[in-house]
Amino acid sequence: MASLFVLVIALFFDSVDGIVDLEIYIQYVFASAFVLLFSFVILYLFRFFPLARSGLNWNNRSSIIIIKKHFMAFFAVSLIVSIIAYLVFLYLARNQSEKVDLNLARIAKMQVKQVNDWRNRQAYLSERYAGDVGIIHKARGFEEKMNRFGNRMKNGIADEIGGDPEVQSIHKLFSLTGRYDLVNVLKYRRVWMGPPKKIKDINGKWLNVLTMYVPFLKMKPEGKEAGIKTHYVDPSDSLIPRLSVLPAIGMSSRVFLFSRYGEEIVVLRNPSNDHVVYPLKLSESSREQWLRKMSDGVQGIFHELDYRGKRVIGYVEKIPDSDWSLMIKMDEREAYSQIRQMAWYILSIAFLLTAMAGLALFFVLRHRHMQHQTERLKMGLKQKAIRQHYDYLSKFANDVIILMDGDGTVIEANDRSERMFGKIRSEMIGENIRTVFDLKDDFAFEEKWNDLEEEKSLIFEAYGQHTNGSIFPVEISSRVIEADGRLFIQFIIRDISEKKKAEEMVWRHANFDQITGLPNRRMFSERLFFETRKAQRAGSSVALMFLDLDHFKDVNDTMGHGVGDLLLKEASDRLRLCVRETDTVSRLGGDEFTVILADLGDFKDVERVAQNILDELAEPFALEGQTVHISASIGITFFPEDATDTHDLMKNADQAMYAAKSLGGNQYHYFTQSMQEAVIQRMHMINDLHVALENNQFETVFQPIVDLKTGGICRAEALISWHHPVHGVINPAAFVPLAEDTGLIQAFGDWVFLEAARQAAKCRRYIPDFQVSVNISPVQFRKGGIDTDVWFAHLKSLDLPPEAIVIEITEGLLLEIDESITDQLLALRDAGVEVALDNFGTGYSSLAYLKKLDIDYVKIDQMFVKNLSVSEEDRVLCEAMTLMAHKLDIAVIAEGVETQAQLKMIASFDCDYAQGYYISGPVGGAEFEELIGEKYKIGLS
């Protein structure tokens, strides 16, 4: 549309002569700017176009809406296309104008050349026909005088020319203009085209002629003769026709010669009626002023207003050796006709481009407008569906659903909200959602509200408040809804009171003991860590007590686990009474309790608390009509004096507790560094035990047992010896308990059995009924039992009968004997393996087991044997044990015989066998074979 107006306005400016004073570029810019301003005004007026629904159909209304909404875009498209069109036009117009200027200059130079050719032709004709027409002036010494004369004229001394007698005749013949022409002829010695004159021909007719001054030089007998020939030429015969031979560059083009003499201007031209008007009489002052301006101007291209007031383009070229100049001019309107035509083409293309771009933009914006309208329609339908869905959910949902605006004002709520908050829907609508919550921690709720605005969806917990004052926990699923440019917030609220109760129950099960209600091991660890870190920051101390109830196992075994649980519950209640509310009492498991005493003011307070605990637990417990007495062993350690890590702190308290228990219980014991050193030594020994068997650090040694009837060696006890690479030989009493605690005893026992079987096979070559005794730990019977299949397979591989092996057990095993142990012992006995009871007389075993288990040997402990010579009671006991065993058909072996007196005394009791260092200490397998080979016998007399 803008380009169409540009065309109209440009046509208007092109047709008005009063505006041609402006350059064509400025005309184009002025027209374009005017049209763009007009377009902007028209588009802007669309903003106020009425949109009465009854007056316009929907398509027209949408088109007007698009133009009103995007009028700046349409204007920008018009502006961009117009600017691009102008830049293209400017570039092409400059090239075309330069081409026009070049053509004018070329034609002007051609015309000047033609005038020169014509002048030279006239000079030639004047020499050839010198006698016909002309006046010859002669002078002697012409060259010298002319040179002097030329120099004087060159210096501008005009008055001296007339005073020179030699040129007096020249002065008389010519006016000032003529004298100037003559001087030029004499000075430059070439033909000079002078001013026009009127002369009569032979018929008396006046002619308009040009004066041609032609210099000549002739040789005479008396010398050189120089002169000037004056030649008159009618320009209408030859010069004017030459000027008429001009390429047709336009209807308004003109070519003419002009010369100025003072205030007089003479023009030679070819008029339209084909006759020369000479000289030109300028009747209008404007024409004379224009020609005078042209005669004063510089040569070359010019753009001016001529005497008609029209803008012309022309070219001025000076005719050499003359007073004349040649001018070619034509109207600028005609000269730039191609540029104007090109401008029309560009404007037409710009119009098409603007129209196409405008239509494309219009359809794109219309398409987007339609899409937007479609989306709005879809959104409306979606909102309607959401509303229907919300109504459905509000009616049948079990949760409270509330819809609010961006400030939290309730817009809609379902019926479920009445039961949860005690308010009817009409009361809630219009109120702020914060009125139905318990906002004791208002900052937390506002923080969640702000987070919801950023995240658009959030689940969090809060506390609802009923109108009756009750407060209950709720879970809120919230989300932000945007519709029609507005912001809505939806809350789905669920009462989680039951969930919280279940979580509380799970939490209590995870952190508290179910029997006593005390914190369990997990909670104890957390509180111990917290108290130690707090003490570390404050620079204070924390005391940790580790309690173990003495004789609790006896209560459990004799009175049942129910009574045991009651005992634990009442003991925990007494423990609470002995400490402050800020202290922590916890149960780790079984009969083990811990007490954390924080913020200690004095270490004596710990001792006072420990003694109170001992006193309280020493009081009798009345459980289900029975009185129960227990005590406690307490280990005490301090943070950070004893350890800075909670794990080490627990180990220290445990070691101190075991130290108190080893002293008889019912007391407390502080952790000492020696306990830690003993624990570290024990740990290192356990680590070394794990690799000792693989590294062959163990050796089986054998201690002989003699038959007191014959005095000869008949059997031996296999013992294990540990050759430690650092500590040397270690006594079995030091490492066997460790092997039992760590479970290594099973592997050690099997290894000793295999070594003992090999030694028995060797010894039976000397003594056919030789036996080797092997000590079996009670742990071997309990932890998986003895692998008798391996044992018997090994005996079979050695071709050794089971009777060659004797199993030694302790009385301690009989205290804990059960059906499994009984079955294993009887299985060994049935297979032919004999059983010996070691350390007889030191335990609390029932004598009934001696018969039940079919014991073959009893070994009187060395504590009775070593005092036989000094203690009458030990002699009586040894004799009685021997007599009793014989009555039960059990053989007797006396251990620890170290003197001959002891040997004679046990022999007097009819003891069957003797063993001890008096006979021989434990020796290696090779040395033991030498003893047998030598048929070693001990003297009994």
Side-chain angles (χ1 to χ4, degrees):
M1 181 180 67
S3 294
L4 178 60
F5 284 122
V6 169
L7 291 174
V8 175
I9 298 302
L11 181 61
F12 170 75
F13 281 101
D14 190 50
S15 62
V16 178
D17 290 339
I19 308 180
V20 298
D21 189 37
L22 299 174
E23 292 189 4
I24 189 170
Y25 312 114
I26 301 178
Q27 295 179 34
Y28 186 87
V29 172
F30 187 76
S32 300
F34 179 82
V35 171
L36 288 174
L37 179 62
F38 180 77
S39 302
F40 179 80
V41 172
I42 294 300
L43 290 171
Y44 188 77
L45 290 177
F46 267 101
R47 295 173 59 88
F48 305 100
F49 198 92
L51 296 178
R53 295 182 178 273
S54 59
L56 295 172
N57 59 31
W58 189 84
N59 289 330
N60 294 333
R61 289 185 72 256
S62 62
S63 301
I64 294 174
I65 290 173
I66 292 171
I67 296 175
K68 288 177 61 176
K69 188 175 181 180
H70 303 282
F71 76 97
M72 286 301 299
F74 288 99
F75 178 74
V77 170
S78 301
L79 179 62
I80 292 172
V81 174
S82 299
I83 292 175
I84 294 174
Y86 174 71
L87 294 176
V88 173
F89 164 74
L90 183 64
Y91 173 76
L92 296 177
R94 288 189 182 277
N95 289 340
Q96 187 65 28
S97 64
E98 290 175 359
K99 186 182 296 185
V100 171
D101 294 346
L102 185 61
N103 289 337
L104 286 176
R106 186 171 63 251
I107 294 173
K109 292 183 182 300
M110 290 173 56
Q111 292 296 326
V112 170
K113 184 176 181 302
Q114 291 181 4
V115 172
N116 282 333
D117 292 343
W118 174 82
R119 185 186 59 190
N120 294 333
R121 177 66 176 172
Q122 295 305 316
Y124 170 75
L125 293 175
S126 66
E127 291 180 357
R128 185 173 181 181
Y129 307 104
D132 296 340
V133 180
I135 302 174
I136 299 175
H137 300 274
K138 300 179 180 178
R140 294 182 177 87
F142 178 75
E143 290 183 355
E144 180 179 356
K145 295 180 177 62
M146 286 298 102
N147 288 335
R148 185 175 68 251
F149 175 75
N151 291 331
R152 291 164 66 184
M153 292 302 297
K154 187 175 182 180
N155 293 329
I157 308 175
D159 294 337
E160 296 182 1
I161 298 177
D164 193 337
E166 298 181 1
V167 294
Q168 190 67 20
S169 59
I170 300 174
H171 180 73
K172 292 180 179 179
L173 292 175
F174 302 99
S175 63
L176 178 61
T177 303
R179 292 200 301 271
Y180 178 76
D181 296 337
L182 178 61
V183 169
N184 279 297
V185 172
L186 295 176
K187 181 179 179 181
Y188 297 107
R189 301 175 185 176
R190 53 190 177 189
V191 177
W192 186 265
M193 187 169 66
K197 289 185 178 182
K198 282 184 174 291
I199 62 173
K200 289 183 179 181
D201 60 4
I202 56 176
N203 298 322
K205 183 180 178 181
W206 289 96
L207 300 175
N208 294 320
V209 297
L210 288 176
T211 306
M212 304 291 292
Y213 300 103
V214 182
F216 67 90
L217 181 64
K218 291 184 179 181
M219 297 301 295
K220 296 291 186 176
E222 42 294 338
K224 294 180 180 180
E225 182 182 43
I228 297 175
K229 181 189 297 182
T230 303
H231 185 61
Y232 299 100
V233 179
D234 186 358
S236 61
D237 293 337
S238 57
L239 179 58
I240 297 304
R242 283 181 178 270
L243 296 179
S244 301
V245 184
L246 180 70
I249 59 174
M251 297 298 295
S252 63
S253 62
R254 297 291 184 269
V255 179
F256 52 87
L257 297 174
F258 69 92
S259 177
R260 178 177 179 180
Y261 298 96
E263 295 301 321
E264 182 182 15
I265 295 178
V266 181
V267 178
L268 286 178
R269 65 183 180 86
N270 185 20
S272 58
N273 54 2
D274 293 332
H275 66 273
V276 176
V277 178
Y278 177 81
L280 178 64
K281 299 298 183 181
L282 301 176
S283 59
E284 299 179 8
S285 59
S286 60
R287 297 183 180 183
E288 183 178 356
Q289 291 175 0
W290 179 73
L291 289 174
R292 186 175 292 111
K293 181 179 180 181
M294 291 296 100
S295 64
D296 292 338
V298 297
Q299 300 187 44
I301 291 293
F302 66 88
H303 297 264
E304 296 289 343
L305 292 174
D306 66 357
Y307 59 88
R308 300 170 300 169
K310 291 188 177 182
R311 194 168 185 84
V312 297
I313 178 173
Y315 188 89
V316 177
E317 180 78 17
K318 177 70 175 176
I319 303 296
D321 302 330
S322 71
D323 296 326
W324 298 89
S325 295
L326 184 136
M327 176 186 294
I328 300 179
K329 76 174 185 70
M330 66 183 304
D331 290 349
E332 194 176 76
R333 182 184 184 86
E334 183 180 5
Y336 291 155
S337 60
Q338 292 186 356
I339 297 178
R340 304 175 74 86
Q341 186 178 8
M342 180 173 57
W344 279 100
Y345 291 153
I346 293 175
L347 287 173
S348 300
I349 295 173
F351 165 71
L352 293 177
L353 291 177
T354 304
M356 293 173 62
L359 288 175
L361 180 62
F362 174 77
F363 285 116
V364 168
L365 295 176
R366 182 182 176 87
H367 178 68
R368 290 180 57 185
H369 180 74
M370 296 296 293
Q371 285 184 328
H372 178 68
Q373 293 296 328
T374 303
E375 289 297 327
R376 289 188 60 184
L377 181 59
K378 289 182 179 179
M379 182 62 69
L381 295 175
K382 183 178 180 181
Q383 291 298 323
K384 183 178 180 181
I386 291 175
R387 183 71 183 191
Q388 293 176 350
H389 183 64
Y390 176 81
D391 293 340
Y392 178 80
L393 290 178
S394 301
K395 184 177 181 180
F396 298 102
N398 293 323
D399 299 327
V400 173
I401 302 177
I402 298 177
L403 186 65
M404 303 160 284
D405 61 12
D407 297 327
T409 303
V410 178
I411 299 174
E412 188 59 72
N414 63 348
D415 296 336
R416 187 75 176 178
S417 61
E418 298 182 10
R419 283 177 285 176
M420 179 176 289
F421 300 110
K423 292 183 177 181
I424 61 176
R425 292 175 63 241
S426 59
E427 292 179 354
M428 290 188 62
I429 295 175
E431 290 187 349
N432 195 282
I433 189 63
R434 295 168 178 82
T435 59
V436 298
F437 291 109
D438 178 34
L439 298 180
K440 292 180 180 179
D441 189 4
D442 184 65
F443 176 76
F445 185 86
E446 295 300 329
E447 184 179 11
K448 294 297 183 182
W449 185 273
N450 296 331
D451 292 342
L452 175 61
E453 293 180 353
E454 296 179 1
E455 300 180 12
K456 306 303 181 183
S457 178
L458 191 66
I459 298 176
F460 61 96
E461 294 182 0
Y463 286 92
Q465 187 172 17
H466 198 274
T467 53
N468 60 12
S470 63
I471 297 174
F472 51 92
V474 294
E475 180 184 73
I476 303 173
S477 298
S478 58
R479 68 187 182 107
V480 176
I481 304 173
E482 295 182 4
D484 294 333
R486 296 182 61 190
L487 190 70
F488 299 93
I489 297 176
Q490 182 188 59
F491 274 10
I492 299 178
I493 306 173
R494 176 175 298 176
D495 188 344
I496 55 173
S497 300
E498 296 300 324
K499 178 183 176 183
K500 285 295 183 181
K501 291 179 182 178
E503 290 177 353
E504 176 70 17
M505 185 178 298
V506 171
W507 182 80
R508 290 198 61 83
H509 275 284
N511 294 279
F512 289 87
D513 179 57
Q514 301 304 306
I515 295 176
T516 63
L518 296 175
N520 60 10
R521 183 182 294 273
R522 182 175 179 274
M523 179 65 76
F524 160 76
S525 300
E526 291 180 358
R527 292 194 179 177
L528 180 61
F529 179 81
F530 172 76
E531 293 295 345
T532 54
R533 296 289 82 77
K534 184 175 72 172
Q536 186 178 27
R537 290 191 298 270
S540 59
S541 298
V542 176
L544 175 63
M545 294 183 179
F546 198 103
L547 288 79
D548 184 84
L549 301 181
D550 301 329
H551 313 303
F552 176 75
K553 186 176 184 300
D554 297 337
V555 176
N556 246 354
D557 293 342
T558 58
M559 302 181 68
H561 290 281
V563 175
D565 291 345
L566 292 176
L567 176 60
L568 292 174
K569 180 69 172 64
E570 190 167 339
S572 66
D573 293 339
R574 294 186 184 185
L575 287 174
R576 287 194 186 98
L577 298 175
C578 297
V579 299
R580 299 167 298 180
E581 292 184 358
T582 56
D583 298 329
T584 301
V585 179
S586 59
R587 178 180 176 232
L588 301 186
D591 58 351
E592 294 179 342
F593 295 84
T594 58
V595 177
I596 301 174
L597 302 177
D599 301 324
L600 294 177
D602 192 343
F603 287 105
K604 292 181 180 180
D605 294 337
V606 178
E607 187 172 343
R608 178 182 55 79
V609 172
Q611 190 60 51
N612 287 341
I613 291 175
L614 293 177
D615 294 343
E616 285 291 333
L617 295 180
E619 293 292 328
F621 291 84
L623 305 174
E624 293 186 350
Q626 302 183 56
T627 302
V628 177
H629 293 271
I630 61 171
S631 60
S633 298
I634 305 175
I636 305 173
T637 187
F638 294 94
F639 172 90
E641 287 78 10
D642 297 331
T644 57
D645 181 78
T646 57
H647 180 70
D648 295 337
L649 209 61
M650 279 293 295
K651 289 193 302 182
N652 295 346
D654 188 49
Q655 293 170 21
M657 184 272 293
Y658 276 106
K661 189 174 285 291
S662 64
L663 295 175
N666 195 25
Q667 58 183 300
Y668 56 86
H669 197 286
Y670 290 101
F671 170 79
T672 61
Q673 191 60 36
S674 61
M675 294 179 186
Q676 182 67 15
E677 292 173 357
V679 170
I680 293 174
Q681 183 179 2
R682 183 175 185 270
M683 181 183 66
H684 288 165
M685 187 172 290
I686 290 174
N687 293 335
D688 294 339
L689 273 176
H690 281 83
V691 297
L693 193 60
E694 297 178 1
N695 296 337
N696 297 320
Q697 296 177 5
F698 291 108
E699 179 188 9
T700 304
V701 294
F702 302 91
Q703 188 174 25
I705 299 175
V706 297
D707 188 344
L708 293 179
K709 292 183 176 61
T710 62
I713 299 174
C714 62
R715 65 188 69 239
E717 182 180 0
L719 302 171
I720 187 171
S721 178
W722 184 9
H723 296 272
H724 196 278
V726 177
H727 304 293
V729 179
I730 299 177
N731 193 295
F735 66 83
V736 168
L738 298 180
E740 291 176 341
D741 292 342
T742 58
L744 295 174
I745 193 64
Q746 199 72 272
F748 292 168
D750 292 340
W751 182 80
V752 172
F753 179 86
L754 300 179
E755 291 296 317
R758 292 192 187 95
Q759 189 64 35
K762 295 177 181 179
C763 294
R764 282 203 166 220
R765 290 180 294 181
Y766 305 100
I767 303 173
D769 57 350
F770 188 84
Q771 291 180 316
V772 177
S773 300
V774 179
N775 290 282
I776 302 298
S777 169
V779 179
Q780 290 179 262
F781 287 98
R782 289 195 295 269
K783 295 186 176 180
I786 298 173
D787 192 354
T788 56
D789 293 337
V790 175
W791 285 13
F792 293 149
H794 183 63
L795 294 177
K796 186 176 181 180
S797 66
L798 297 174
D799 197 18
L800 194 67
E803 292 81 3
I805 301 298
V806 177
I807 299 300
E808 290 191 12
I809 61 175
T810 61
E811 278 193 314
L813 177 64
L814 299 181
L815 290 175
E816 300 177 359
I817 195 168
D818 55 14
E819 186 177 357
S820 174
I821 297 175
T822 302
D823 292 341
Q824 292 180 65
L825 289 173
L826 292 177
L828 291 172
R829 185 70 182 81
D830 294 340
V833 177
E834 295 183 341
V835 179
L837 184 61
D838 197 7
N839 301 329
F840 184 70
T842 59
Y844 304 94
S845 61
S846 173
L847 294 178
Y849 284 112
L850 296 177
K851 194 64 178 176
K852 180 179 180 181
L853 298 177
D854 197 8
I855 300 298
D856 297 292
Y857 304 95
V858 292
K859 300 182 74 174
I860 299 176
D861 191 76
Q862 59 182 348
M863 65 177 293
F864 299 109
V865 176
K866 68 179 180 179
N867 294 323
L868 283 177
S869 58
V870 295
S871 174
E872 181 66 22
E873 293 179 356
D874 289 340
R875 286 198 298 271
V876 172
L877 286 174
C878 288
E879 185 177 5
M881 284 187 286
T882 302
L883 180 62
M884 180 191 65
H886 286 164
K887 292 294 184 179
L888 294 174
D889 197 17
I890 299 174
V892 180
I893 303 173
E895 290 184 299
V897 178
E898 297 180 354
T899 65
Q900 187 177 16
Q902 293 171 352
L903 181 63
K904 290 181 178 180
M905 194 168 292
I906 62 172
S908 65
F909 299 153
D910 290 333
C911 187
D912 301 301
Y913 306 98
Q915 176 185 353
Y917 277 87
Y918 178 74
I919 301 169
S920 174
V923 297
E927 187 177 352
F928 189 79
E929 283 190 57
E930 292 179 1
L931 290 176
I932 295 177
E934 295 174 356
K935 296 184 179 180
Y936 172 83
K937 288 188 177 182
I938 189 170
L940 300 177
S941 59

